[in-house]
C-alpha cells in the first residue's frame, strides 16, 4: 500500500485570525518504506510571522518574504498527493 505522510508549519493555528501555511513537506512510502519521492516547499504567507510561531519553526517573515505564494505551490502539491 502507498501512503503519503504530510507535515506543515504555520503562522498560527486559527484560520479565523488569518494564519497561513509557511511550509509543506511530504514523503511517499510503500508498505511504510520510503520510495524516495518527496515534496517540500517553503511558502510566503503574505503576513507577519508571530514570535510564538517563529519559536516553533524558526522561519521569520524576512526569510519567507522571497518564497513563492501558496497559489504558486498548490498545483504541484496536489499533483504530489
Amino acid at each position: 500500500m502507498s501512503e503519503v505522510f504530510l507535515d506543515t508549519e504555520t503562522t498560527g493555528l486559527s484560520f479565523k485570525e488569518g494564519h497561513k501555511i509557511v511550509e509543506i513537506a511530504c514523503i511517499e512510502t510503500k508498505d511504510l518504506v520510503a520510495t524516495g519521492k518527496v515534496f517540500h516547499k517553503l511558502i510566503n504567507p503574505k503576513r507577519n510571522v508571530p514570535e510564538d510561531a517563529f519559536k516553533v519553526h524558526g522561519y521569520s517573515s524576512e526569510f519567507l518574504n522571497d518564497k513563492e505564494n501558496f497559489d504558486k505551490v498548490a498545483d504541484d502539491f496536489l499533483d504530489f498527493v
Side-chain angles (χ1 to χ4, degrees):
M1 174 165 57
S2 293
E3 306 87 8
V4 173
F5 291 86
L6 166 71
D7 184 40
T8 62
E9 296 294 344
T10 67
T11 60
L13 300 177
S14 175
F15 175 77
K16 290 179 182 179
E17 293 179 20
H19 290 288
K20 305 286 184 173
I21 294 173
V22 299
E23 181 181 31
I24 299 174
C26 300
I27 183 170
E28 180 188 70
T29 66
K30 183 166 177 134
D31 299 323
L32 299 177
V33 177
T35 65
K37 189 174 175 187
V38 298
F39 178 87
H40 179 255
K41 292 286 183 175
L42 293 168
I43 300 167
N44 180 346
K46 299 204 272 187
R47 60 156 289 157
N48 71 314
V49 176
E51 183 64 26
D52 287 344
F54 177 78
K55 288 178 183 176
V56 172
H57 52 60
Y59 299 133
S60 68
S61 299
E62 295 79 20
F63 174 75
L64 295 169
N65 196 39
D66 67 345
K67 307 304 183 250
E68 294 176 301
N69 299 327
F70 185 79
D71 60 343
K72 301 288 185 186
V73 172
D75 286 340
D76 290 340
F77 169 66
L78 291 174
D79 287 344
F80 183 87
V81 295

